[in-house]
Amino acid sequence: MRIARFSIDGNVAFGAISAAAGERGPDDLVLDIIKGIPYADFELSGVKVPLSKVRLLPPVLPSKVVAVGRNYAEHAAELGNEVPDLPLTFFKPSTSVTGPGDDIAYPSFSSELHHEAELAVVIGRMCREVPRERAKDVVFGYTCANDITARDVQQREKQWARAKGFDTSCPLGPWVETDLDPADLAIQCTVNGQQRQLGRTSDMIRSVEDLIVHISEAMTLLPGDVILTGTPAGVGPLNVGDEVAVTIEGIGTLTNKVIKRG
């Protein structure tokens, strides 16, 4: 099931995406509004609105985004880094999150902005110290992410808070896919229609389950929290005016445009 968060007529809601009765085209998709929030057992209201009539929002509002660096060997190598012995984790604040179709504001303190296409894991229940055999039980679903990075700031400051945590540096969307095996999915990034990154989640050094176990050893994860699982090789520069798109097999495409920060 695909779960979207959206606004219509000034109201914000979650909805389950499906095709209108007897229709199959992308223009015929509708949202069945969910009663309440979708993380626990939920009911569909039966009230349906066309997907084309709403504005899609970030599919979740996480209390925290826990990101993992250098989880693809070729990406670590392309930046001259070794693969770490343990998952390399860092935070992106909730204020970094932006949605599908929203603008990425080029930060004034950087002159080298990079894209990083990533599979994002959305947590569905409060959990801590999750055993590996139960890791999938705490997952609500998966979405596309772009770990936008001020590469020059990352290299200059070493600590990554500003380089990866600035406003609009974490596009998420377009929705959450709840019925998906993340083990071997194609992941692609294009800039202005030109392919930059192409990899598979099967190339991740640590699996989704491994990352949930490692992260939940240290902190409680809450419903709606997001884990970014790392990026394949091919990261590169973004400029003002560029349109960057992340496509993940079985989920969809997250598209954003880069603008000058006002």
Side-chain angles (χ1 to χ4, degrees), residues 165-185:
F166 58 90
D167 292 354
T168 72
S169 66
C170 190
L172 296 174
W175 40 64
V176 176
E177 174 58 65
T178 63
D179 185 17
L180 189 70
D181 182 349
D184 186 25
L185 303 173

Side-chain angles (χ1 to χ4, degrees), residues 1-127:
M1 181 179 289
R2 287 178 171 174
I3 306 294
R5 181 171 164 269
F6 65 95
S7 66
I8 184 170
D9 298 329
N11 298 308
V12 175
F14 289 92
I17 299 175
S18 62
E23 304 292 345
R24 295 185 179 182
D27 294 334
D28 301 311
L29 295 177
V30 295
L31 285 157
D32 194 336
I33 296 176
I34 290 170
K35 295 181 179 179
I37 58 175
Y39 303 119
D41 293 336
F42 61 85
E43 294 182 26
L44 298 175
S45 68
V47 177
K48 298 183 179 182
V49 295
L51 184 62
S52 60
K53 300 297 184 181
V54 309
R55 177 192 172 204
L56 290 178
L57 302 174
V60 290
L61 288 178
S63 74
K64 54 187 170 292
V65 177
V66 187
V68 179
R70 303 172 192 168
N71 199 30
Y72 289 75
E74 289 186 1
H75 168 61
E78 74 179 341
L79 296 181
N81 298 310
E82 299 291 332
V83 173
D85 294 332
L86 292 172
L88 176 61
T89 56
F90 58 94
F91 291 109
K92 295 174 82 79
S94 59
T95 48
S96 69
V97 172
T98 193
D102 291 341
D103 293 329
I104 298 166
Y106 203 120
S108 58
F109 54 86
S110 173
S111 59
E112 189 180 359
L113 204 64
H114 278 198
H115 56 79
E116 295 191 9
E118 308 203 8
L119 174 71
V121 183
V122 179
I123 299 298
R125 63 181 66 176
M126 185 170 69
C127 58

